Amino acid sequence: MSNPEVPPLRTDTTGESLGDLVSDLTGDLSKLMRQELELAKAEIRHEAAKAGKATGMLAAAGFAGYLTTVLLSLALVFALGAVMPLGWAALIVAVLWGIAGAVLYTSGRARLRTVNPKPERTVETLKEDAEWAKHPTR
């Protein structure tokens, strides 16, 4: 990411009218705003790329965790299979995962019911702003 070159300031302004100076100032401000916007875009692109890489790493970590869970479940099935038939061992592990899934589903559903999609504070603030706009002297 490189910064755009900033032209040197002009110090020789003799003989220019006020209109010319204001015009130059407006042009310089416009150029500065465009350069700032380009810099902001470059920074956003850079940060988005970093976020994308981090998201990819988190997805890979989730997949590794999933594989770990599957392999540990298989290891438990085979460990139980040493003392009972493999079919029963697999059924026990499946029931344990079913119980864990039911508990997670129930608690997740209960938490989801407490979510209020309406931004209450924002709505209240907007109502206050509208009331103030109607009667600004109050």
Side-chain angles (χ1 to χ4, degrees):
M1 195 169 29
S2 65
N3 289 335
E5 277 192 37
V6 178
L9 291 176
R10 290 186 351 194
T11 56
D12 179 27
T13 59
T14 57
E16 291 190 45
S17 70
L18 181 60
D20 291 339
L21 292 175
V22 170
S23 175
D24 288 347
L25 178 64
T26 311
D28 289 346
L29 284 175
S30 176
K31 184 176 182 179
L32 178 63
M33 294 308 290
R34 283 193 303 274
Q35 288 174 341
E36 289 294 331
L37 185 60
E38 287 302 316
L39 179 61
K41 285 179 185 179
E43 284 181 295
I44 289 171
R45 278 192 297 272
H46 179 70
E47 291 301 313
K50 282 179 18 182
K53 289 176 185 175
T55 301
M57 289 177 162
L58 288 174
F63 183 68
Y66 168 75
L67 286 178
T68 301
T69 303
V70 168
L71 292 174
L72 286 174
S73 295
L74 283 173
L76 181 59
V77 166
F78 285 115
L80 289 174
V83 292
M84 66 179 67
L86 279 178
W88 287 108
L91 182 63
I92 289 171
V93 172
V95 167
L96 289 174
W97 276 113
I99 292 169
V103 168
L104 289 170
Y105 171 79
T106 304
S107 68
R109 194 169 121 209
R111 284 188 182 187
L112 191 58
R113 287 185 175 161
T114 65
V115 172
N116 184 3
K118 182 179 173 186
E120 297 290 340
R121 287 186 288 178
T122 302
V123 169
E124 186 62 33
T125 304
L126 287 174
K127 287 179 183 177
E128 290 172 5
D129 291 347
E131 186 62 32
W132 179 86
K134 289 179 186 174
H135 309 286
T137 57
R138 284 187 185 176

